[in-house]
Amino acid sequence: MTWTAPPRRTGTPEVLVIDRRVDADRALLLPRGRLVHGCTAVLADALAALPSGLARLDLDMGAVEFMDPAGLRFLDLLGGYSHRESVPATTANWRGQPVRILEGSGLDTTDPLRTTTRARGPGPAPGPGPGSAPRTASAASTARAAPGHAPGTERADRLRTLEQEVGQLRHALASRPVIDQARGVLMALHACTSDEAWHILREASQLSNTKLRTVAAAVVAGAGSGSPPPPPEVRAALRTALGRLGRRARGRGGW
């Protein structure tokens, strides 16, 4: 048994790595990272490196930490390979945020390949290939659109909703570090607890009609020696929030 990983493409960000193990006529792929833009190219490389004549292909998704709608194209590519090569393929061990994307897409969270359907041209749909599992009742109901609602429109609406949720999640993840830093600054300067620091930031955001992340960034920037203080409306809001908690603004970062 030998573990290998396909070489990284020159000039591409390493958002996903796929380790692989081939044992006789079975292959195991272990994706690590994020199923985002570019993930299909990484999968295509991994599939191209597999030997012919496989009897089974399994993917362990336990190390996939994030997924956006590009992950659905990842599944379509994998399903296409399974159908074209007549190799049964499964995905397992989904966890965390990617499960939410699968649920929102109407896919089986245990193995979404069982409910992934690919667009086909005109004519009757072919029966399941040698490596394909039969469509489940849940997949059939997902494929049927509501009355007066075209299947393509329903899928597009679902994808738009998922993209909005993913965007909100990315923004929240990007905002957390500076907010946590601001809480630390407030705790150090004003001898408050972590919860009290959070309430100070949130109240200052509301009072000044300023985004929470902007308030937090101003607090962090203002704590450095020689750094400019926060804008006047943010300073006033911070003073008010501190006063309501019985804290007096003092020293550097006290505004």
Side-chain angles (χ1 to χ4, degrees):
M1 299 180 183
T2 303
W3 287 98
T4 57
R8 178 182 173 186
R9 293 188 174 207
T10 304
T12 60
E14 191 170 315
V15 297
L16 182 70
V17 173
I18 301 181
D19 298 323
R20 63 178 180 267
R21 183 181 71 188
V22 178
D23 182 13
D25 58 353
R26 296 193 173 191
L28 174 64
L29 300 183
L30 285 90
R32 293 181 285 113
R34 295 171 287 158
L35 297 185
V36 295
H37 178 70
C39 67
T40 53
V42 179
L43 176 61
D45 286 346
L47 294 176
L50 293 176
S52 59
L54 288 176
R56 184 178 183 85
L57 172 61
D58 298 310
L59 279 78
D60 184 337
M61 310 300 292
V64 173
E65 60 194 28
F66 184 84
M67 172 179 173
D68 68 11
L72 303 180
R73 293 188 285 276
F74 179 97
L75 292 172
D76 281 340
L77 177 62
L78 182 60
Y81 171 88
S82 173
H83 182 77
R84 184 177 63 255
E85 302 294 329
S86 298
V87 178
T90 65
T91 63
N93 205 19
W94 293 87
R95 61 183 66 187
Q97 181 270 343
V99 174
R100 172 69 188 91
I101 300 298
L102 298 178
E103 290 174 342
S105 301
L107 299 178
D108 187 323
T109 57
T110 303
D111 182 9
L113 286 183
R114 290 191 294 193
T115 50
T116 298
T117 56
R118 294 180 298 281
R120 296 185 177 92
S132 303
R135 291 180 64 195
T136 62
S138 61
S141 61
T142 300
R144 290 196 297 269
H149 202 56
T153 304
E154 183 182 30
R155 181 176 176 84
D157 289 345
R158 186 180 292 121
L159 285 176
R160 274 195 295 271
T161 300
L162 290 173
E163 286 170 349
Q164 290 173 357
E165 292 182 3
V166 169
Q168 292 169 357
L169 177 60
R170 280 178 171 153
H171 179 73
L173 291 174
S175 300
R176 278 187 62 183
V178 72
I179 292 173
D180 289 344
Q181 291 176 42
R183 289 168 74 173
V185 169
L186 291 172
M187 291 166 65
L189 290 174
H190 302 288
C192 59
T193 67
S194 178
D195 285 343
E196 288 174 335
W198 166 251
H199 287 299
I200 290 168
L201 290 171
R202 188 174 64 177
E203 185 171 359
S205 171
Q206 295 169 346
L207 290 173
S208 63
N209 194 27
T210 305
K211 290 182 179 179
L212 180 62
R213 187 179 189 281
T214 302
V215 172
V219 169
V220 173
S225 177
S227 301
E233 63 276 10
V234 174
R235 289 204 307 273
L238 286 166
R239 288 195 189 100
T240 299
L242 284 164
R244 290 181 181 177
L245 281 177
R247 302 290 193 279
R248 292 190 59 186
R250 65 180 187 277
R252 184 62 187 166
W255 317 290

